[in-house]
Amino acid sequence: MDLLLYLALVPALGVAAQWIAWRTNLPGILLLLVFGVILGQFVQVDEYLTLLTGGNEQAGPNLLFPLVSLSVAVIMFEGGLSLKLTELREAGSAALRLCTIGAAITFVLAAIAANYTLGFDWRLAFLLGGILTVTGPTVIGPLLRQVRPSRRVASTLKWEGIVIDPIGAILAVLVFEHLMLNAQDASVGGILLTLLETAAIGVLLGGIGGVALGFSFKKFWVPDQLQGVAALAIGLLLFAISNHFAHESGLITVTILGLWLTNQRGLDIEHIVEFKENLRTLLIGVLFIVLGSRVNIDDIMAIGMPGVLFVVILVLIVRPVSVFASLAGSALNRQEKSFVAGLAPRGIVAAAVSSVFALKMESHAAHIDIPGADQLANVTFLVIVATVAIYGLSATALAKVLGLADTSTNGVLIAGADAWVRDFAKELVKAKISVLLVDTNYNKISKARVDGIEASCANILNEHVVEELPLSGIGRLLAMTPNDEVNSLAVRECTHLFERSQVYQLSFNQENTHHRRGMTKNLMGRELFGKTNTFSELRDLHAAGARFKTTPLTEEFTHEDFLENYGNSATLLCTIDEDGSLEFDTVDQPLLPKPGQQLIAIVSAMVVPDDHAAHPASDAAQGNATDRTGRSEKS
């Protein structure tokens, strides 16, 4: 295989693995590692780099790991951009405890386990303990989106997963420099001084970069098209400068940089976040494929039962002890602590750091002669594969047993609470579909609550409000206010919460849908209820006496029978499968109801002839539906 084909194949495999993971709900990182190991049986990236450098066998690692470090910096920067300080109200204390007390316990217990099960020298055992202190935001993030636990638990795990990565890397640096390279001169004072120096440099450079970027963006000194790449370039530069002065402090720098930018009021970085998310997805795929291909499966298997025992101790003893000890007396209840204790997969940072230190030990072989040092990266990859598989396959079941998550995502978030929307929501609730209404009109929200519908008086366009909404069990948005612009902005604001395929919008009238006054299609969600059914038409039908009706379909009473029975007096809105799956009728994908489903339709009080002025498809009805405010209720 030539180099060009290899360079094109790696990202393609990375995307394929993550697509398969999305389709099957399997852990994406696990599939990436499997793909990488399989690729490594045929081609090795080190061989290409050796050939390119004229036969230098150290060229592969020497060229590869700086690129890996920069890629990890991008991933950590994107992680920092996802850290909202508002989450600390619920998760701050727990996350702090996990990243301090919990990290220390994990560090010590993992080192002890490595010494007694793997037979590692104490110095190597503590180095491994530092590396395995990290969890894995690249693994935890997708798992949290899949499991959807309570907001407090999700925030705690997200903060721990991102903040603990630089801490684990720094612990590994301290062990390497003070217990391996300078074992004779090691002292508590020297270790503390290195720790403070590393933290200070990382925080200082990250803060300076955040202030500079934020100020330049607010002053519009950087055009929009350059803001994403400017943030990336500055982040990578600060990462390299920080690491130059203190090893691994760059991880702190880029995390602080992202944290600062995302929490600046009045600063719109949505386009930067989207750019970083796409880049992170690509880099994760490439990194795990490449690093996985460097793993020799025979070396992993050679670890044998000691490796299996080590993993079991990490999962069943080290993680639970560190969690329950560090969270004793915290606000988290027993079920929440148990779920946190049952989720600690290792990810890309552990893989990258272990590989870097394995290379460093090779380059310092004359000064470091520790039996088993060549097994450091192999043991780390064994732990990554095992923990990703264990936690990835058990997280959903554990959350369900503990009652922390509604694994169903059939619920709907509805923007808007007009009378007909409330009645539609009541029909969904009767069918056991979770519904949350959001509207700024308190009168409408009060009426919804009286009807037994969960509702929030808030602005759907406020990002802070959206983050606070109770979205457990909710997996789609219906933007159904009487204002097309508000609907489109709601779609834009909520796209990061749901898949694009699950974000819907109802146009106000036909003129706004198909004429120059209408919204550009790329700014809209999926159009609801067919081409001829709009907000104004459904509102008017409801005001004229039409009501929502749920009808079970059977082999004896099919959709065709329903149409024959109700004719054009019924407008199909959605269907509910036997397993509770909810599907809406849309312009791009009209529904074809079948036996076993329930269909929800709005049925007119009387049949309206096709040529009558009140029929939704008639020109007269469309011409009358020009009121863009749609105010049918008193504010």
Side-chain angles (χ1 to χ4, degrees), residues 469-496:
L469 292 175
L471 298 179
S472 178
I474 291 178
R476 65 201 74 194
L477 167 75
L478 305 184
M480 299 198 298
T481 76
N483 187 304
D484 287 333
E485 287 74 19
V486 170
N487 289 338
S488 291
L489 289 172
V491 166
R492 180 180 183 274
E493 188 61 42
C494 295
T495 298
H496 71 285

PDB file of all heavy atoms in Angstrom, residues 469-496:
ATOM      1  N   LEU A 469     -33.161  23.184  31.065  1.00  0.00           N
ATOM      2  CA  LEU A 469     -34.419  22.468  30.878  1.00  0.00           C
ATOM      3  C   LEU A 469     -34.268  20.991  31.236  1.00  0.00           C
ATOM      4  O   LEU A 469     -33.243  20.375  30.924  1.00  0.00           O
ATOM      5  CB  LEU A 469     -34.901  22.596  29.432  1.00  0.00           C
ATOM      6  CG  LEU A 469     -35.357  23.982  28.978  1.00  0.00           C
ATOM      7  CD1 LEU A 469     -35.688  23.961  27.490  1.00  0.00           C
ATOM      8  CD2 LEU A 469     -36.551  24.453  29.779  1.00  0.00           C
ATOM      9  N   PRO A 470     -35.276  20.395  31.871  1.00  0.00           N
ATOM     10  CA  PRO A 470     -35.232  18.957  32.187  1.00  0.00           C
ATOM     11  C   PRO A 470     -35.536  18.127  30.942  1.00  0.00           C
ATOM     12  O   PRO A 470     -36.698  17.913  30.602  1.00  0.00           O
ATOM     13  CB  PRO A 470     -36.323  18.800  33.261  1.00  0.00           C
ATOM     14  CG  PRO A 470     -37.293  19.902  32.973  1.00  0.00           C
ATOM     15  CD  PRO A 470     -36.481  21.042  32.410  1.00  0.00           C
ATOM     16  N   LEU A 471     -34.511  17.670  30.246  1.00  0.00           N
ATOM     17  CA  LEU A 471     -34.688  17.007  28.961  1.00  0.00           C
ATOM     18  C   LEU A 471     -34.532  15.494  29.019  1.00  0.00           C
ATOM     19  O   LEU A 471     -34.342  14.855  27.994  1.00  0.00           O
ATOM     20  CB  LEU A 471     -33.695  17.589  27.945  1.00  0.00           C
ATOM     21  CG  LEU A 471     -33.851  19.082  27.632  1.00  0.00           C
ATOM     22  CD1 LEU A 471     -32.792  19.529  26.630  1.00  0.00           C
ATOM     23  CD2 LEU A 471     -35.242  19.400  27.115  1.00  0.00           C
ATOM     24  N   SER A 472     -34.582  14.923  30.201  1.00  0.00           N
ATOM     25  CA  SER A 472     -34.470  13.467  30.311  1.00  0.00           C
ATOM     26  C   SER A 472     -35.633  12.805  29.577  1.00  0.00           C
ATOM     27  O   SER A 472     -36.807  13.116  29.822  1.00  0.00           O
ATOM     28  CB  SER A 472     -34.479  13.052  31.789  1.00  0.00           C
ATOM     29  OG  SER A 472     -34.411  11.656  31.917  1.00  0.00           O
ATOM     30  N   GLY A 473     -35.322  11.895  28.663  1.00  0.00           N
ATOM     31  CA  GLY A 473     -36.338  11.199  27.893  1.00  0.00           C
ATOM     32  C   GLY A 473     -36.834  11.957  26.679  1.00  0.00           C
ATOM     33  O   GLY A 473     -37.692  11.468  25.952  1.00  0.00           O
ATOM     34  N   ILE A 474     -36.299  13.163  26.439  1.00  0.00           N
ATOM     35  CA  ILE A 474     -36.744  13.983  25.309  1.00  0.00           C
ATOM     36  C   ILE A 474     -35.683  13.955  24.211  1.00  0.00           C
ATOM     37  O   ILE A 474     -34.513  14.220  24.487  1.00  0.00           O
ATOM     38  CB  ILE A 474     -37.038  15.428  25.766  1.00  0.00           C
ATOM     39  CG1 ILE A 474     -38.288  15.432  26.651  1.00  0.00           C
ATOM     40  CG2 ILE A 474     -37.222  16.355  24.574  1.00  0.00           C
ATOM     41  CD1 ILE A 474     -38.651  16.771  27.208  1.00  0.00           C
ATOM     42  N   GLY A 475     -36.105  13.651  23.009  1.00  0.00           N
ATOM     43  CA  GLY A 475     -35.128  13.472  21.933  1.00  0.00           C
ATOM     44  C   GLY A 475     -35.415  14.243  20.671  1.00  0.00           C
ATOM     45  O   GLY A 475     -34.775  13.996  19.646  1.00  0.00           O
ATOM     46  N   ARG A 476     -36.382  15.196  20.721  1.00  0.00           N
ATOM     47  CA  ARG A 476     -36.660  15.965  19.499  1.00  0.00           C
ATOM     48  C   ARG A 476     -37.316  17.293  19.858  1.00  0.00           C
ATOM     49  O   ARG A 476     -37.851  17.461  20.956  1.00  0.00           O
ATOM     50  CB  ARG A 476     -37.547  15.168  18.555  1.00  0.00           C
ATOM     51  CG  ARG A 476     -38.928  14.892  19.074  1.00  0.00           C
ATOM     52  CD  ARG A 476     -39.541  13.713  18.368  1.00  0.00           C
ATOM     53  NE  ARG A 476     -38.930  12.480  18.840  1.00  0.00           N
ATOM     54  CZ  ARG A 476     -39.060  11.310  18.228  1.00  0.00           C
ATOM     55  NH1 ARG A 476     -39.734  11.225  17.111  1.00  0.00           N
ATOM     56  NH2 ARG A 476     -38.500  10.230  18.720  1.00  0.00           N
ATOM     57  N   LEU A 477     -37.259  18.217  18.914  1.00  0.00           N
ATOM     58  CA  LEU A 477     -37.838  19.547  19.086  1.00  0.00           C
ATOM     59  C   LEU A 477     -38.925  19.776  18.045  1.00  0.00           C
ATOM     60  O   LEU A 477     -38.742  19.474  16.864  1.00  0.00           O
ATOM     61  CB  LEU A 477     -36.761  20.626  18.926  1.00  0.00           C
ATOM     62  CG  LEU A 477     -37.276  22.065  18.767  1.00  0.00           C
ATOM     63  CD1 LEU A 477     -37.761  22.610  20.105  1.00  0.00           C
ATOM     64  CD2 LEU A 477     -36.207  22.975  18.183  1.00  0.00           C
ATOM     65  N   LEU A 478     -40.061  20.328  18.486  1.00  0.00           N
ATOM     66  CA  LEU A 478     -41.098  20.811  17.588  1.00  0.00           C
ATOM     67  C   LEU A 478     -41.188  22.317  17.791  1.00  0.00           C
ATOM     68  O   LEU A 478     -41.640  22.787  18.840  1.00  0.00           O
ATOM     69  CB  LEU A 478     -42.460  20.174  17.897  1.00  0.00           C
ATOM     70  CG  LEU A 478     -42.557  18.647  17.919  1.00  0.00           C
ATOM     71  CD1 LEU A 478     -43.998  18.221  18.142  1.00  0.00           C
ATOM     72  CD2 LEU A 478     -42.025  18.048  16.633  1.00  0.00           C
ATOM     73  N   ALA A 479     -40.734  23.098  16.817  1.00  0.00           N
ATOM     74  CA  ALA A 479     -40.819  24.555  16.894  1.00  0.00           C
ATOM     75  C   ALA A 479     -42.161  24.967  16.306  1.00  0.00           C
ATOM     76  O   ALA A 479     -42.336  24.992  15.084  1.00  0.00           O
ATOM     77  CB  ALA A 479     -39.659  25.198  16.149  1.00  0.00           C
ATOM     78  N   MET A 480     -43.135  25.314  17.178  1.00  0.00           N
ATOM     79  CA  MET A 480     -44.504  25.576  16.728  1.00  0.00           C
ATOM     80  C   MET A 480     -45.045  26.857  17.359  1.00  0.00           C
ATOM     81  O   MET A 480     -46.135  26.881  17.911  1.00  0.00           O
ATOM     82  CB  MET A 480     -45.408  24.381  17.035  1.00  0.00           C
ATOM     83  CG  MET A 480     -44.981  23.105  16.336  1.00  0.00           C
ATOM     84  SD  MET A 480     -46.262  21.829  16.253  1.00  0.00           S
ATOM     85  CE  MET A 480     -46.546  21.503  17.978  1.00  0.00           C
ATOM     86  N   THR A 481     -44.273  27.924  17.286  1.00  0.00           N
ATOM     87  CA  THR A 481     -44.775  29.238  17.657  1.00  0.00           C
ATOM     88  C   THR A 481     -45.381  29.888  16.418  1.00  0.00           C
ATOM     89  O   THR A 481     -45.118  29.429  15.298  1.00  0.00           O
ATOM     90  CB  THR A 481     -43.657  30.142  18.209  1.00  0.00           C
ATOM     91  OG1 THR A 481     -42.854  30.611  17.122  1.00  0.00           O
ATOM     92  CG2 THR A 481     -42.762  29.389  19.194  1.00  0.00           C
ATOM     93  N   PRO A 482     -46.153  30.971  16.570  1.00  0.00           N
ATOM     94  CA  PRO A 482     -46.719  31.637  15.394  1.00  0.00           C
ATOM     95  C   PRO A 482     -45.744  32.548  14.666  1.00  0.00           C
ATOM     96  O   PRO A 482     -46.149  33.296  13.785  1.00  0.00           O
ATOM     97  CB  PRO A 482     -47.888  32.445  15.978  1.00  0.00           C
ATOM     98  CG  PRO A 482     -47.600  32.599  17.411  1.00  0.00           C
ATOM     99  CD  PRO A 482     -46.734  31.473  17.828  1.00  0.00           C
ATOM    100  N   ASN A 483     -44.468  32.461  15.005  1.00  0.00           N
ATOM    101  CA  ASN A 483     -43.458  33.319  14.395  1.00  0.00           C
ATOM    102  C   ASN A 483     -42.391  32.459  13.734  1.00  0.00           C
ATOM    103  O   ASN A 483     -41.671  31.717  14.409  1.00  0.00           O
ATOM    104  CB  ASN A 483     -42.841  34.233  15.465  1.00  0.00           C
ATOM    105  CG  ASN A 483     -41.912  35.279  14.883  1.00  0.00           C
ATOM    106  OD1 ASN A 483     -40.951  34.949  14.187  1.00  0.00           O
ATOM    107  ND2 ASN A 483     -42.182  36.536  15.178  1.00  0.00           N
ATOM    108  N   ASP A 484     -42.274  32.543  12.416  1.00  0.00           N
ATOM    109  CA  ASP A 484     -41.322  31.702  11.684  1.00  0.00           C
ATOM    110  C   ASP A 484     -39.881  31.989  12.082  1.00  0.00           C
ATOM    111  O   ASP A 484     -39.050  31.077  12.121  1.00  0.00           O
ATOM    112  CB  ASP A 484     -41.493  31.903  10.174  1.00  0.00           C
ATOM    113  CG  ASP A 484     -42.757  31.260   9.639  1.00  0.00           C
ATOM    114  OD1 ASP A 484     -43.211  30.277  10.251  1.00  0.00           O
ATOM    115  OD2 ASP A 484     -43.289  31.744   8.634  1.00  0.00           O
ATOM    116  N   GLU A 485     -39.577  33.256  12.332  1.00  0.00           N
ATOM    117  CA  GLU A 485     -38.204  33.602  12.697  1.00  0.00           C
ATOM    118  C   GLU A 485     -37.830  33.002  14.051  1.00  0.00           C
ATOM    119  O   GLU A 485     -36.722  32.479  14.233  1.00  0.00           O
ATOM    120  CB  GLU A 485     -38.026  35.134  12.716  1.00  0.00           C
ATOM    121  CG  GLU A 485     -37.996  35.783  11.343  1.00  0.00           C
ATOM    122  CD  GLU A 485     -39.366  35.853  10.688  1.00  0.00           C
ATOM    123  OE1 GLU A 485     -40.381  35.745  11.417  1.00  0.00           O
ATOM    124  OE2 GLU A 485     -39.430  35.997   9.444  1.00  0.00           O
ATOM    125  N   VAL A 486     -38.757  33.073  15.011  1.00  0.00           N
ATOM    126  CA  VAL A 486     -38.507  32.468  16.322  1.00  0.00           C
ATOM    127  C   VAL A 486     -38.321  30.961  16.172  1.00  0.00           C
ATOM    128  O   VAL A 486     -37.436  30.361  16.798  1.00  0.00           O
ATOM    129  CB  VAL A 486     -39.653  32.784  17.304  1.00  0.00           C
ATOM    130  CG1 VAL A 486     -39.522  31.962  18.579  1.00  0.00           C
ATOM    131  CG2 VAL A 486     -39.669  34.267  17.651  1.00  0.00           C
ATOM    132  N   ASN A 487     -39.150  30.345  15.335  1.00  0.00           N
ATOM    133  CA  ASN A 487     -39.026  28.901  15.122  1.00  0.00           C
ATOM    134  C   ASN A 487     -37.659  28.531  14.562  1.00  0.00           C
ATOM    135  O   ASN A 487     -37.020  27.577  15.004  1.00  0.00           O
ATOM    136  CB  ASN A 487     -40.116  28.417  14.168  1.00  0.00           C
ATOM    137  CG  ASN A 487     -41.497  28.446  14.805  1.00  0.00           C
ATOM    138  OD1 ASN A 487     -41.619  28.433  16.030  1.00  0.00           O
ATOM    139  ND2 ASN A 487     -42.523  28.499  13.986  1.00  0.00           N
ATOM    140  N   SER A 488     -37.206  29.288  13.576  1.00  0.00           N
ATOM    141  CA  SER A 488     -35.906  28.989  12.969  1.00  0.00           C
ATOM    142  C   SER A 488     -34.762  29.203  13.952  1.00  0.00           C
ATOM    143  O   SER A 488     -33.807  28.419  13.989  1.00  0.00           O
ATOM    144  CB  SER A 488     -35.695  29.866  11.727  1.00  0.00           C
ATOM    145  OG  SER A 488     -36.573  29.475  10.698  1.00  0.00           O
ATOM    146  N   LEU A 489     -34.856  30.252  14.767  1.00  0.00           N
ATOM    147  CA  LEU A 489     -33.822  30.483  15.775  1.00  0.00           C
ATOM    148  C   LEU A 489     -33.850  29.390  16.843  1.00  0.00           C
ATOM    149  O   LEU A 489     -32.797  28.987  17.351  1.00  0.00           O
ATOM    150  CB  LEU A 489     -34.009  31.863  16.410  1.00  0.00           C
ATOM    151  CG  LEU A 489     -33.674  33.061  15.511  1.00  0.00           C
ATOM    152  CD1 LEU A 489     -34.089  34.356  16.186  1.00  0.00           C
ATOM    153  CD2 LEU A 489     -32.177  33.078  15.198  1.00  0.00           C
ATOM    154  N   ALA A 490     -35.048  28.916  17.178  1.00  0.00           N
ATOM    155  CA  ALA A 490     -35.148  27.812  18.148  1.00  0.00           C
ATOM    156  C   ALA A 490     -34.497  26.551  17.595  1.00  0.00           C
ATOM    157  O   ALA A 490     -33.811  25.818  18.314  1.00  0.00           O
ATOM    158  CB  ALA A 490     -36.617  27.548  18.486  1.00  0.00           C
ATOM    159  N   VAL A 491     -34.713  26.304  16.310  1.00  0.00           N
ATOM    160  CA  VAL A 491     -34.067  25.164  15.655  1.00  0.00           C
ATOM    161  C   VAL A 491     -32.556  25.297  15.747  1.00  0.00           C
ATOM    162  O   VAL A 491     -31.841  24.336  16.084  1.00  0.00           O
ATOM    163  CB  VAL A 491     -34.524  25.064  14.186  1.00  0.00           C
ATOM    164  CG1 VAL A 491     -33.622  24.126  13.400  1.00  0.00           C
ATOM    165  CG2 VAL A 491     -35.965  24.593  14.114  1.00  0.00           C
ATOM    166  N   ARG A 492     -32.046  26.484  15.461  1.00  0.00           N
ATOM    167  CA  ARG A 492     -30.596  26.712  15.511  1.00  0.00           C
ATOM    168  C   ARG A 492     -30.061  26.532  16.930  1.00  0.00           C
ATOM    169  O   ARG A 492     -28.997  25.952  17.136  1.00  0.00           O
ATOM    170  CB  ARG A 492     -30.286  28.120  15.012  1.00  0.00           C
ATOM    171  CG  ARG A 492     -28.800  28.473  15.009  1.00  0.00           C
ATOM    172  CD  ARG A 492     -28.595  29.891  14.494  1.00  0.00           C
ATOM    173  NE  ARG A 492     -27.176  30.224  14.426  1.00  0.00           N
ATOM    174  CZ  ARG A 492     -26.475  30.707  15.449  1.00  0.00           C
ATOM    175  NH1 ARG A 492     -27.063  30.902  16.611  1.00  0.00           N
ATOM    176  NH2 ARG A 492     -25.188  30.991  15.300  1.00  0.00           N
ATOM    177  N   GLU A 493     -30.814  27.012  17.914  1.00  0.00           N
ATOM    178  CA  GLU A 493     -30.353  26.950  19.297  1.00  0.00           C
ATOM    179  C   GLU A 493     -30.346  25.522  19.834  1.00  0.00           C
ATOM    180  O   GLU A 493     -29.524  25.171  20.675  1.00  0.00           O
ATOM    181  CB  GLU A 493     -31.247  27.831  20.185  1.00  0.00           C
ATOM    182  CG  GLU A 493     -30.753  28.008  21.608  1.00  0.00           C
ATOM    183  CD  GLU A 493     -29.402  28.682  21.669  1.00  0.00           C
ATOM    184  OE1 GLU A 493     -29.169  29.649  20.921  1.00  0.00           O
ATOM    185  OE2 GLU A 493     -28.559  28.211  22.452  1.00  0.00           O
ATOM    186  N   CYS A 494     -31.251  24.687  19.335  1.00  0.00           N
ATOM    187  CA  CYS A 494     -31.416  23.340  19.910  1.00  0.00           C
ATOM    188  C   CYS A 494     -30.793  22.237  19.067  1.00  0.00           C
ATOM    189  O   CYS A 494     -30.875  21.060  19.442  1.00  0.00           O
ATOM    190  CB  CYS A 494     -32.902  23.046  20.115  1.00  0.00           C
ATOM    191  SG  CYS A 494     -33.703  24.111  21.333  1.00  0.00           S
ATOM    192  N   THR A 495     -30.200  22.591  17.932  1.00  0.00           N
ATOM    193  CA  THR A 495     -29.614  21.566  17.070  1.00  0.00           C
ATOM    194  C   THR A 495     -28.528  20.780  17.787  1.00  0.00           C
ATOM    195  O   THR A 495     -28.365  19.573  17.553  1.00  0.00           O
ATOM    196  CB  THR A 495     -29.043  22.214  15.789  1.00  0.00           C
ATOM    197  OG1 THR A 495     -30.107  22.842  15.077  1.00  0.00           O
ATOM    198  CG2 THR A 495     -28.394  21.171  14.900  1.00  0.00           C
ATOM    199  N   HIS A 496     -27.766  21.452  18.685  1.00  0.00           N
ATOM    200  CA  HIS A 496     -26.694  20.743  19.382  1.00  0.00           C
ATOM    201  C   HIS A 496     -27.225  19.767  20.418  1.00  0.00           C
ATOM    202  O   HIS A 496     -26.490  18.903  20.904  1.00  0.00           O
ATOM    203  CB  HIS A 496     -25.750  21.748  20.051  1.00  0.00           C
ATOM    204  CG  HIS A 496     -26.340  22.444  21.241  1.00  0.00           C
ATOM    205  ND1 HIS A 496     -27.272  23.452  21.126  1.00  0.00           N
ATOM    206  CD2 HIS A 496     -26.134  22.266  22.571  1.00  0.00           C
ATOM    207  CE1 HIS A 496     -27.602  23.878  22.325  1.00  0.00           C
ATOM    208  NE2 HIS A 496     -26.939  23.173  23.216  1.00  0.00           N
TER     209      HIS A 496
END
